[in-house]
Amino acid sequence: MSAHADTHEEHGHHHKETFITKYIFSLDHKMIAKQYLITGTIMGIIGIMMSIMFRMQIAWPEQPNVLFEALLGKWAPDGVMDADIYLALVTIHGTIMVFFVLTAGLSGTFSNLLIPLQIGARDMASGFLNMVSYWLFFLSSVIMVLSLFVEAGPAAAGWTIYPPLSALPMAQGGSGAGMTLWLVSMAIFIASSLLGSLNYVVTVLNLRTKGMSMTRLPLTIWAFFITAVIGIISFPVLLSAALLLIMDRSFGTSFFLSDIFIQGEVLHYQGGSPVLFEHLFWFLGHPEVYIVLLPALGITSEIIATNSRKPIFGYRAMIASILAIAFLSTIVWGHHMFVSGMNPFLGSVFTFTTLLIAIPSAVKAFNYITTLWKGNLQMNPAMLFSIGLVSTFITGGLTGIILGDSALDINVHDTYFVVAHFHLVMGISALYGMFAGIYHWYPKMFGRMLNKNLGYIHFWVTAICAYGVFFPMHFIGMAGLPRRYYTNSNFPLFDDLADVNVVITLFAIVGGAFQLVFLYNFFSSIFYGKKAEKNPWKSNTLEWTTPVEHVHGNWPGEIPHVHRWAYDYSKPGHDVDFVPQNVPLKDGEEELQH
């Protein structure tokens, strides 16, 4: 009981919080979650604006554009986009969306918000580490945005920053100070990610309330937990790659450089290998895909079960598939490198492991569909985005089978087919998971409801535009159109694809513009939304047993004890169609666990 007494004493002190301790340097996981969400949203706006700019360049190459002149200044003389800045936009767009929005914005927000609330903890294991983790993320975001204003231009080696473009400061404009800032920003970001992940793992293992065994955890928590484990294993490898790259750039080493000629002059670098960098990068880069995706899949599991009013299908199979994905994700990285001169036998090994990872992914997809089957479906915006995730996860995953095959990949490698694949399976799926989570847990975060009708508009326009952008890309990719070219007008064989590119760009502009509907809904509902009740979705997990007004320590009195798993929906023998986890079993009632 002493722990509870302590929290009550703390509670007395916390009425004197200043603006700074409550909103800026907060130790409360609920406030830190909001900080992550709003920072991630701002970075997302920047990332989407960049993508719209380079899509306009591909659709209408070499045509003057007022927008370019206004936003790009000297990089768009007379409104015509410069080739170098096109590459820089693609690079920073990819970096921001993958790391700052879908890694930090998604995991940071929902791991922080939900782990303590759903396992029955007062807060994270270390509130201080949690705060440091957010502020390191904020600092790295600021540095990444500042790198856009470097005189010679921001990093422009693609988001994968392969050497020699990234390793030689004189290679191109963006290889100078812009690239250095990119590396510094990412090093700080990795520190933030590692601190956060360690905190999440310790919290899940040590701070579960009485009765909350690992097999009673909601699937959201399993997903956040395993995501954090993958991050701890793989992010240090990217940090080492970044540090070696800094050595090559600034201290004259040759880890990634060998036999380089610039304008006929041979440089002194000897013995390094750019392919080594690819191995180090993709050893993080592929687990990163699942770091982005697993939290979205966990959120989807929770929302689909709640809004189907029935237990999640195959709870233990879902946990097993998360664990299998985590293990397999660390032995498939070579499928990004089939055209790097890799030994064909090694290619066949990576093909095998890549096709294996389709099995746990398919288990998840089928389990979502069978949970929906004959359910009493509540089609609110969160549910629509979750079903949308299942759709894009399947359509994006199918093309992965082609790209994961070393013989088939050679034909479409580095074309728009790849862009279409990973944007659907990782980008759009994770974004839908993020939107679903925001619509579902907004009442828990802000105590108010989002406008449902604006949510429907947001979903349908986003869903149609997302497929409108990425579906046609498969076809222009199969026709051979390479990615990262700022114009294709020099190649007569691609003239027929110009119209398709215009269509893609129009969908992108409309889809991007309609995110303003979401932003309006999000920010106005904080102040004017309908007041939320305690458990608006009639859900079973512990976060809905806490009061609507946030209290420090989450529960004003005793922490509830857990008597059952999180998915007792429509259980026979009960008067209502949901039984929260803190309700004791009746006499003779069996505990379900599929």
Side-chain angles (χ1 to χ4, degrees):
M1 270 307 290
S2 62
H4 297 307
D6 291 347
T7 22
H8 280 305
E9 281 171 28
E10 275 182 39
H11 200 65
H13 294 308
H14 269 275
H15 291 301
K16 298 188 201 121
E17 281 194 318
T18 62
F19 178 83
I20 289 182
T21 57
K22 184 170 182 192
Y23 291 106
I24 300 176
F25 297 115
S26 173
L27 301 180
D28 187 325
H29 70 101
K30 300 180 289 296
M31 182 55 67
I32 292 173
K34 291 182 197 177
Q35 291 176 319
Y36 266 110
L37 180 57
I38 288 169
T39 313
T41 305
I42 292 166
M43 294 300 278
I45 294 167
I46 297 171
I48 288 173
M49 280 176 63
M50 288 180 169
S51 65
I52 288 172
M53 284 206 295
F54 61 68
R55 274 309 326 171
M56 290 166 85
Q57 162 65 19
I58 299 169
W60 302 289
E62 282 132 36
Q63 289 186 19
N65 188 315
V66 185
L67 187 70
F68 294 168
E69 204 162 8
L71 292 176
L72 299 176
K74 69 170 182 178
W75 299 109
D78 303 326
V80 178
M81 189 186 287
D82 185 71
D84 287 345
I85 203 67
Y86 175 85
L87 271 179
L89 287 172
V90 172
T91 302
I92 307 293
H93 160 80
T95 309
I96 284 179
M97 296 310 275
V98 171
F99 294 110
F100 293 80
V101 181
L102 296 177
T103 301
L106 181 57
S107 278
T109 300
F110 291 107
S111 299
N112 271 314
L113 178 71
L114 295 177
I115 288 176
L117 285 169
Q118 288 194 340
I119 68 173
R122 294 282 180 204
D123 206 312
M124 281 289 178
S126 167
F128 178 73
L129 267 191
N130 211 8
M131 177 189 80
V132 171
S133 165
Y134 167 72
W135 282 104
L136 286 174
F137 164 56
F138 181 81
L139 178 63
S140 72
S141 303
V142 169
I143 294 173
M144 189 61 73
V145 171
L146 285 179
S147 79
L148 298 172
F149 301 99
V150 170
E151 189 177 353
W159 79 278
T160 54
I161 59 159
Y162 286 175
L165 278 184
S166 58
L168 287 172
M170 68 290 267
Q172 56 178 14
S175 298
M179 191 70 234
T180 304
L181 286 173
W182 191 101
L183 289 163
V184 169
S185 168
M186 282 312 300
I188 296 170
F189 178 87
I190 293 166
S192 150
S193 177
L194 286 171
L195 289 179
S197 296
L198 289 167
N199 215 354
Y200 306 150
V201 167
V202 172
T203 307
V204 172
L205 291 179
N206 292 343
L207 297 185
R208 303 191 304 282
T209 185
K210 190 175 175 202
M212 179 64 87
S213 62
M214 293 297 275
T215 48
R216 283 178 177 167
L217 285 175
L219 287 168
T220 36
I221 303 300
W222 269 105
F224 299 145
F225 173 57
I226 299 300
T227 298
V229 172
I230 302 175
I232 292 166
I233 292 167
S234 55
F235 264 119
V237 181
L238 183 66
L239 183 61
S240 63
L243 290 175
L244 295 180
L245 200 49
I246 289 171
M247 295 284 191
D248 271 13
R249 292 170 53 78
S250 305
F251 301 104
T253 56
S254 305
F255 291 108
F256 306 130
L257 293 167
S258 185
D259 303 324
I260 303 277
F261 292 81
I262 289 193
Q263 292 167 343
E265 186 188 342
V266 64
L267 300 186
H268 67 275
Y269 298 106
Q270 276 301 312
S273 164
V275 177
L276 168 63
F277 179 86
E278 292 189 31
H279 281 291
L280 292 174
F281 182 89
W282 287 116
F283 189 82
L284 159 95
H286 202 81
E288 169 66 23
V289 172
Y290 293 99
I291 291 171
V292 163
L293 203 52
L294 281 178
L297 295 173
I299 287 167
T300 296
S301 304
E302 182 61 37
I303 292 174
I304 284 182
T306 300
N307 289 310
S308 300
R309 313 309 296 161
K310 53 184 281 207
I312 189 84
F313 185 92
Y315 173 78
R316 284 170 188 255
M318 288 298 238
I319 296 173
S321 68
I322 290 175
L323 293 168
I325 283 172
F327 170 66
L328 289 169
S329 75
T330 59
I331 53 169
V332 296
W333 78 91
H335 64 217
H336 296 268
M337 302 169 53
F338 285 145
V339 298
S340 68
M342 172 191 284
N343 182 321
F345 173 72
L346 188 59
S348 68
V349 173
F350 279 123
T351 297
F352 176 63
T353 55
T354 302
L355 297 182
L356 274 185
I357 211 166
I359 299 168
S361 307
V363 167
K364 295 193 92 58
F366 286 126
N367 283 4
Y368 291 137
I369 293 166
T370 32
T371 305
L372 291 165
W373 179 252
K374 294 195 173 176
N376 172 18
L377 304 184
Q378 314 293 308
M379 287 296 187
N380 48 43
M383 180 66 153
L384 289 175
F385 273 111
S386 296
I387 296 170
L389 179 146
V390 178
S391 165
T392 55
F393 185 55
I394 293 170
T395 44
L398 285 174
T399 53
I401 296 173
I402 296 166
L403 293 167
D405 187 307
S406 53
L408 297 176
D409 172 71
I410 289 167
N411 302 295
V412 284
H413 189 89
D414 253 343
T415 68
Y416 271 89
F417 193 85
V418 179
V419 179
H421 157 72
F422 76 79
H423 277 84
L424 279 178
V425 81
M426 169 171 111
I428 301 296
S429 297
L431 208 57
Y432 283 1
M434 192 166 173
F435 284 139
I438 292 168
Y439 280 103
H440 190 74
W441 280 289
Y442 191 90
K444 191 80 256 152
M445 295 177 96
F446 296 102
R448 294 180 182 267
M449 306 293 282
L450 284 164
N451 182 315
K452 203 170 176 181
N453 291 335
L454 289 179
Y456 288 140
I457 294 169
H458 176 219
F459 169 73
W460 284 110
V461 177
T462 303
I464 292 164
C465 288
Y467 270 135
V469 168
F470 296 115
F471 211 77
M473 277 192 192
H474 292 96
F475 302 112
I476 61 176
M478 286 192 289
L481 193 70
R483 57 194 282 209
R484 296 182 176 158
Y485 282 26
Y486 83 111
T487 172
N488 303 298
S489 49
N490 291 341
F491 307 103
L493 84 145
F494 296 138
D495 286 350
D496 297 345
L497 306 178
D499 293 344
V500 185
N501 267 324
V502 172
V503 169
I504 292 174
T505 298
L506 292 173
F507 273 118
I509 292 169
V510 173
F514 266 83
Q515 301 316 304
L516 294 171
V517 173
F518 167 73
L519 290 173
Y520 168 76
N521 195 359
F522 183 91
F523 287 108
S524 71
S525 298
I526 294 176
F527 305 105
Y528 308 114
K530 195 178 97 199
K531 284 254 168 47
E533 52 194 270
K534 192 168 173 181
N535 188 356
W537 316 117
K538 307 277 181 280
S539 195
N540 289 344
T541 39
L542 289 180
E543 76 271 27
W544 305 109
T545 62
T546 61
V548 179
E549 296 78 34
H550 288 179
V551 296
H552 192 78
N554 296 336
W555 289 268
E558 193 94 7
I559 295 180
H561 292 172
V562 169
H563 302 279
R564 57 182 72 237
W565 72 327
Y567 299 103
D568 272 344
Y569 292 104
S570 306
K571 192 173 186 183
H574 285 271
D575 302 332
V576 283
D577 67 352
F578 70 108
V579 192
Q581 284 188 278
N582 59 336
V583 174
L585 293 169
K586 294 180 177 178
D587 287 343
E589 182 185 353
E590 278 187 58
E591 186 178 357
L592 290 177
Q593 238 164 41
H594 295 295

